Amino acid sequence: YTQQSAKGLLLQIIDGDFEVEFEEGLADMNLTGIIQSGTKRQAAQQVLFAWGCCAATDGGEAVRVFLLSDDATEIGRDRTYTGVTVETASIVTEVQVTAHTYTKSNDGSIEIGGEKYSDVETVFTVKNPNVTATDKQNVIEITDGTLVSSDIGQSVAQRVYDYYLKRNTNRAKIVWNGELLGDYVTLPNAWGQTNTGNLSKMEIKLSNTVAASCEAVGT
């Protein structure tokens, strides 16, 4: 694909299997690269990663495509069950994202549609400026983003780095009030303070109230 609309490519992959709902105001972008043989889920993941978007079904019949929210909504203690936990991940010292440039070549190692292609790789890096000599090296390497071209390689690396700055995973059971995956929420923790992050997982259970066991990744 050369300068292919991300929205159009995602619709082409899903091919009417599900309705696709794009978040209002979601900007399209052009992608260049390849999608290798695999499942539709894997192909959609390639598009979403290069585009910088998320997708969820939230128990519905449509695929919802959206950007992570940064407008926090507070979930108070009156909606939070006891037993909240917070897990803090190790500091990421560096992110490396490999961009790919594919060109037709008889000697190429990649074959798509009967054509052979060579792959020239360029590594884009973002380093943590706050790392000290005593910090253990923790480098995140992403090499298999086949729609990450050199045009967007640095911005993708920065986006990945920004994501890994969110080191706290807050696990809580809440009284569900319509929250959706990706929502930016502030949850109380066990120390009388709060943690804020994007909902990355929710398991909803129906009883006399609608409860959701959720995870929020953030600060």
Side-chain angles (χ1 to χ4, degrees), residues 9 11 34 39 48 73 82 88 91 101 104 111 125 136 140 158 167 171 174-175 189 204:
L9 187 51
L11 290 172
I34 66 172
T39 66
L48 292 165
T73 299
T82 58
T88 301
I91 293 174
T101 302
K104 289 184 180 181
E111 184 172 336
T125 301
K136 183 179 179 181
I140 303 297
Q158 185 65 54
R167 297 172 53 206
R171 296 182 175 90
I174 64 171
V175 177
N189 59 34
I204 296 175

Side-chain angles (χ1 to χ4, degrees), residues 108-125:
S109 59
I110 300 170
E111 184 172 336
I112 298 177
E115 296 278 0
K116 288 187 175 181
Y117 294 83
S118 63
D119 177 12
V120 176
E121 298 182 349
T122 306
V123 178
F124 291 88
T125 301

Side-chain angles (χ1 to χ4, degrees), residues 131-150:
V131 170
T132 66
T134 59
D135 287 324
K136 183 179 179 181
Q137 290 296 304
N138 182 19
V139 180
I140 303 297
E141 297 180 81
I142 298 176
T143 62
D144 55 356
T146 59
L147 287 172
V148 178
S149 63
S150 57

Side-chain angles (χ1 to χ4, degrees), residues 7-197:
K7 283 186 177 181
L9 187 51
L10 193 60
L11 290 172
Q12 179 182 333
I13 291 166
I14 294 175
D15 192 26
D17 290 344
F18 301 93
E19 181 183 352
V20 181
E21 298 176 350
F22 294 104
E23 180 181 57
E24 184 177 354
L26 180 64
D28 199 359
M29 74 177 297
N30 293 328
L31 301 176
T32 296
I34 66 172
I35 295 179
Q36 295 176 304
S37 178
T39 66
K40 289 188 174 185
R41 179 186 290 270
Q42 292 168 332
Q45 287 172 337
Q46 289 286 357
V47 174
L48 292 165
F49 176 72
W51 190 6
C53 294
C54 300
T57 59
D58 296 307
E61 297 181 355
V63 176
R64 182 172 60 91
V65 182
F66 58 96
L67 291 174
L68 288 178
S69 171
D70 57 3
D71 184 14
T73 299
E74 184 169 358
I75 297 176
R77 295 188 180 277
D78 58 336
R79 283 210 290 136
T80 307
Y81 292 77
T82 58
V84 176
T85 63
V86 180
E87 180 181 347
T88 301
S90 301
I91 293 174
V92 169
T93 57
E94 183 176 332
V95 165
Q96 297 178 356
V97 173
T98 299
H100 302 267
T101 302
Y102 301 97
T103 54
K104 289 184 180 181
S105 171
N106 292 332
D107 299 325
S109 59
I110 300 170
E111 184 172 336
I112 298 177
E115 296 278 0
K116 288 187 175 181
Y117 294 83
S118 63
D119 177 12
V120 176
E121 298 182 349
T122 306
V123 178
F124 291 88
T125 301
V126 178
K127 294 184 178 182
N128 188 333
N130 299 318
V131 170
T132 66
T134 59
D135 287 324
K136 183 179 179 181
Q137 290 296 304
N138 182 19
V139 180
I140 303 297
E141 297 180 81
I142 298 176
T143 62
D144 55 356
T146 59
L147 287 172
V148 178
S149 63
S150 57
D151 290 341
I152 63 172
Q154 193 62 55
S155 62
V156 172
Q158 185 65 54
R159 172 161 39 83
V160 173
Y161 173 77
D162 292 343
Y163 173 80
Y164 278 100
L165 287 179
K166 302 175 181 180
R167 297 172 53 206
N168 291 328
T169 299
N170 199 17
R171 296 182 175 90
K173 183 178 179 182
I174 64 171
V175 177
W176 184 69
N177 190 30
E179 287 80 14
L180 297 174
L181 289 170
D183 284 357
Y184 198 47
V185 298
T186 297
L187 289 162
N189 59 34
W191 303 281
Q193 300 174 331
T194 60
N195 291 89
T196 301

